[in-house]
Structure formats: structure tokens, C-alpha cells
Amino acid sequence: MTKNFVEELKWRGMLAQIMPGTEEFLNKQMTTAYLGTDPTADSLHIGHLCGIMMLRHLQRCGHRPIILVGGATGMIGDPSGKSQERNLLDAETLYHNQECIKKQVAKFLDFDTEGPNKAEMVNNYDWMKDFTFLDFARTVGKHITVNYMMAKDSVQQRLNGSARDGLSFTEFTYQLLQGYDFLHLYRTMDCRLQLGGNDQWGNMTTGTELIRRTLGQEAEAFALTCPLITKADGKKFGKTESGNVWLDRNRTTPYAFCQFWLNVSDDDAERYIKIFTSLEKDVIDALVEEHRQDPGRRVLQKRLAEEVTVMVHSREDYEMAVEAANILFGKATKESLLKLDEQTLLDVFAGVPHFTLAKEELGKPAIELFARDDVRVFASKGEMRKMVQGGGVSVNKEKLMAPDTIVSTDMLINGKYLLVQRGKKNYFLITVK
């Protein structure tokens, strides 16, 4: 073993709960461990990243990671940490989501190594689809008592909490289904450890208990959880005003993804760089010290954003995100602007004033379009003339040489946008419809 997996998680702040004997077992031999994720969307979001990074560190420490996509359990919904039952998904949607997730996880885990710790992806639908209710009741249900299931915090919170509809039988049995996954992987793939978020502890220990009650007390099975990541202010991690920060570029552009990490607080950056990157401890310690010497340079945030964006997307996407930011915050050319796809353009200029212009208006002088009440880039035509003469006005990153320059359709970015810059820092985005 190249590293101690548990020690690696500890210094990174990624260890919440661990069953007795887990570390000793891991130190004795290469261990197969799995982490489950429900394919309720066609992309993971950064809330999933701590679990995925646990698998990444596990493999780098010489152990064998399995990612389980819950095609069967995803049809049911898990009450853990939820106040309402999830929507149930059909098989076609679940399969599509699974294939998308597989492509994303392949960026974190090595599925191609020839070594014994090659990563694998499995889907519990494969072993649950032909499992009848009678089989389930006979081989699983008889081993775990209702008293044991009722004692779980996730069940108690739903029964005693504010959930209007209580807890359905479907959800109540979820812990048995997840427990059976562990039993099945134990039998077929010699999987001895389950990883997950701390809200999954109850379901995970049901799995270890089911293994012991089914196979005998000598059967060794373990569970280990990571903490639920929050921001320094206690708020939920990974949420923005527009919703989740997704790994799929079609849901969250690489620019917006990179900006999320660049904008975290100093305290969060210090925690997140340990959790969400594979940088070694000495490198992180040096970065933390450098950041504390001059927080204004935001060394931690910049390195964090680079590492995570490159890992999730690519080096090219990261460099494009930096270039996109430079359009707004630094010097850039028209060519830089034209490289941006439409969504990235909108993300970059999300915070600037937006105006709409009818397409029929094109063909008029700039001064007729940018100094009027409904497109108020300039307070008056006189102000615009003065600024143009002083060289302080640009359209699409090209200096406007005369106020009566004709604004034509061939000037439009993506066939519909004009970016007007007044002075160094004032931008205005005009949508032409």
C-alpha cells in the first residue's frame, strides 16, 4: 500500500464516521469498496464530489473502487436527509442518466488500469430486476427486524418531523435494498467496505448487519462516511442563486464552474482544496501559508479553481474560462469574445445591464441606438460623442471611432448580441431580436 487511506481522509477533513476495525482491515490487504449514487439526473453536481473524491483517494492508496449506480433504488427514492419522497423515474430515463454519470466518473477513477485495483461501475438494477418480492421477503426481510429499521435516525426524522405525508412503505424498505446491494457485492466481488455521505450512515450499517446475519458473525464488513460539506457560514455547499453547480457543461458552463471555486471564501478555500483536489499535503500547506501572507492575491482560490476545473472538464476548458474572465476584468480582443459560446457569454456578462433592441433598428448610427431611453448605455448623445472622441467606447471589444458608425447585422456576436463598453469597467449587453 502506498498510503494509509484513513489517514489520507483524516488530514483532508473527509472522515466523519468509521466502524471499528475498518482501518486495521484496510492496512492488512487491498480492499474492495463501493459508493452508491442514485441516477436521479443526467449529471452529478459538486455535492457528489466529496464521495467521488473518496473513491479517487481509495484507488490512489492501492485499493479497488466500485461506483454503484442505483438503477433499481433510483426507482424508489431514499428518505435519508430528505423531508419529501423523491419522484420515481422510468427505466429509459434511468439508463440515460447512468450512461452520462459513467462518463463523468471516468475522469476521476482509472477504469483502464491492468492492475488488480481497476475501478468498476455496476448497476443494482442488474441484480434486482428479476428479484421477486417473495424472494426479497424470504432472503432479506427475515434477517432485519422492524424494530432495528425503526430505530434509524433517517426513519425517525421522517416519522416525527414536518413531512406531511409521513414515510411510505417504499421508502421504509430502502435501507433493506441498499443493504442487499452490499451483501450482493460482498458475495460477488469480495466488497468489504461501503463509503458514503454521513446522511447514509444508517443505511450503510444496515448493510453490514445484513451481511453478518446472513453469512455469520465472522463475515467482516465495514462502513465509512465523509462529512456533508457546508460553507463556512453553515449554508448548503454547491448551491448558487441559479441552483446546483453541475459537472455537465450543458448545465453549468466551465466558466461558471470555475467562477464558483474562485469566489469561495478564504476559510472555505482552505477546506475545499484538501477535499476536492489530489494535491499532496506539503503542496497544500505551502499554498495555505502563501495565501495567509497575502490573502488579496487569492492564491488558494485560484489553485483550487484550476485543479477542479481541469479535473472535471479539461485544461483547455480552464484556460478558456480564464480568458473569458479576462474579457470582463482585463484586456481582451474581439477574437477572444467570438470564441465564447452563447451560454458562456451570458454567464460572463450576467451581472451587467441588459437591454433589448429590435432587429429592424439595425442599420442606424450607433449614437441613435445607444443613447435613448430604452437602451440607456449613455445618458445623452452629447455624453456619447465626448466619450467616443476620447477613445473610451468600444463595441464588441473594438474601439468605436465615430459616434455615427452604422451598427449592422454582421457586427452581432452569435447573430444576436452586441457588447458595448463605456470606459474601462462599464459593460452593457444588448440582445437583438
Side-chain angles (χ1 to χ4, degrees):
M1 298 302 159
T2 54
K3 286 184 184 177
N4 180 312
F5 175 57
V6 174
E7 286 300 320
E8 185 76 6
L9 294 187
K10 280 180 181 176
W11 78 258
R12 289 183 181 276
M14 295 174 71
L15 185 65
Q17 297 188 75
I18 181 170
M19 285 184 65
T22 304
E23 184 172 7
E24 294 78 4
F25 189 85
L26 284 161
N27 290 341
K28 281 192 303 184
Q29 60 197 355
M30 186 191 80
T31 302
T32 300
Y34 91 96
L35 177 136
T37 183
D38 280 342
T40 47
D42 61 3
S43 173
L44 301 175
H45 54 73
I46 59 174
H48 295 108
L49 267 188
C50 186
I52 300 298
M53 290 302 294
M54 277 206 301
L55 283 180
R56 182 177 174 88
H57 292 308
L58 180 93
Q59 189 172 36
R60 288 161 66 93
C61 289
H63 301 289
R64 180 189 181 203
I66 297 173
I67 178 82
L68 181 147
V69 176
T73 40
M75 291 179 170
I76 289 173
D78 171 17
S80 303
K82 314 288 188 307
S83 60
Q84 291 182 325
E85 187 164 350
R86 287 181 183 170
N87 292 328
L88 310 187
L89 303 176
D90 59 72
E92 185 180 352
T93 302
L94 284 166
Y95 178 77
H96 167 75
N97 292 354
Q98 173 199 326
E99 292 305 299
C100 294
I101 289 169
K102 187 173 184 178
K103 290 177 183 175
Q104 292 178 341
V105 175
K107 295 181 179 180
F108 296 84
L109 304 177
D110 187 353
F111 288 89
D112 300 319
T113 179
E114 296 300 319
N117 69 330
K118 175 181 179 179
E120 292 198 43
M121 175 174 271
V122 296
N123 185 341
N124 62 8
Y125 184 72
D126 292 337
W127 58 83
M128 292 302 298
K129 65 179 185 292
D130 298 320
F131 203 13
T132 70
F133 181 77
L134 291 177
D135 288 337
F136 184 79
R138 185 170 59 244
T139 59
V140 180
K142 72 175 185 179
H143 290 293
I144 303 293
T145 66
V146 170
N147 305 56
Y148 179 89
M149 295 168 69
M150 289 286 289
K152 297 295 183 182
D153 286 343
S154 59
V155 173
Q156 286 297 316
Q157 286 168 10
R158 283 291 298 275
L159 289 175
N160 302 324
S162 58
R164 191 173 61 226
D165 300 325
L167 181 71
S168 72
F169 173 77
T170 304
E171 288 187 291
F172 182 57
T173 56
Y174 187 94
Q175 60 178 290
L176 292 183
L177 290 167
Q178 185 170 328
Y180 183 73
D181 286 342
F182 198 175
L183 175 60
H184 177 84
L185 293 175
Y186 186 103
R187 282 170 162 162
T188 60
M189 302 181 76
D190 195 31
C191 181
R192 302 300 183 93
L193 172 64
Q194 184 178 177
L195 308 175
N198 208 33
D199 60 338
Q200 291 291 313
W201 181 254
N203 292 342
M204 293 163 69
T205 52
T206 297
T208 61
E209 189 66 18
L210 179 62
I211 288 169
R212 279 191 288 272
R213 292 189 186 186
T214 303
L215 304 178
Q217 289 302 312
E218 67 281 0
E220 294 181 294
F222 305 94
L224 181 159
T225 63
C226 62
L228 298 179
I229 310 302
T230 58
K231 297 179 185 177
D233 59 10
K235 292 180 180 176
K236 193 167 183 177
F237 164 75
K239 289 275 191 180
T240 66
E241 288 182 12
S242 57
N244 284 319
V245 179
W246 299 92
L247 307 194
D248 183 344
R249 66 190 305 118
N250 295 317
R251 287 172 173 258
T252 300
T253 62
Y255 168 79
F257 185 86
C258 187
Q259 285 295 310
F260 172 84
W261 301 101
L262 282 171
N263 290 324
V264 300
S265 69
D266 289 350
D267 288 342
D268 285 337
E270 199 168 312
R271 286 193 305 131
Y272 294 168
I273 201 164
K274 296 174 185 174
I275 296 169
F276 298 113
T277 79
S278 297
L279 294 173
E280 300 295 343
K281 189 175 188 302
D282 57 340
V283 175
I284 291 176
D285 288 344
L287 286 167
V288 169
E289 183 58 33
E290 185 182 355
H291 182 89
R292 288 176 178 173
Q293 296 297 324
D294 186 3
R297 288 176 55 217
R298 298 180 73 77
V299 170
L300 277 178
Q301 285 91 337
K302 289 176 182 176
R303 187 62 182 274
L304 172 66
E306 178 182 357
E307 292 290 324
V308 185
T309 306
V310 169
M311 184 166 54
V312 170
H313 294 290
S314 69
R315 170 65 58 182
E316 185 181 27
D317 284 321
Y318 167 72
E319 290 171 356
M320 179 63 75
V322 171
E323 191 173 351
N326 286 337
I327 293 171
L328 186 59
F329 304 118
K331 294 180 180 179
T333 63
K334 183 178 181 180
E335 285 66 36
S336 301
L337 195 61
L338 294 175
K339 284 182 188 176
L340 303 184
D341 59 73
E342 183 175 2
Q343 189 54 56
T344 302
L345 177 77
L346 294 175
D347 284 342
V348 171
F349 296 103
V352 310
H354 281 56
F355 300 110
T356 303
L357 197 62
K359 206 158 193 172
E360 298 77 52
E361 300 275 5
L362 296 180
K364 293 180 179 180
I367 197 166
E368 297 293 331
L369 298 179
F370 303 152
R372 46 194 250 186
D373 289 342
D374 60 337
V375 184
R376 203 166 181 78
V377 177
F378 299 93
S380 67
K381 291 181 179 180
E383 181 193 45
M384 182 175 171
R385 283 196 188 93
K386 188 175 179 181
M387 288 202 73
V388 170
Q389 287 167 3
V393 179
S394 296
V395 177
N396 299 342
K397 284 294 177 179
E398 289 189 329
K399 193 164 288 187
L400 193 66
M401 304 307 294
D404 57 356
T405 300
I406 299 299
V407 179
S408 60
T409 54
D410 58 8
M411 294 172 68
L412 299 178
I413 304 167
N414 288 321
K416 63 192 292 191
Y417 299 106
L418 290 166
L419 180 69
V420 183
Q421 186 175 354
R422 191 186 73 200
K424 287 186 177 180
K425 296 182 179 179
N426 297 308
Y427 287 94
F428 304 84
L429 187 64
I430 299 171
T431 302
V432 179
K433 294 184 177 179

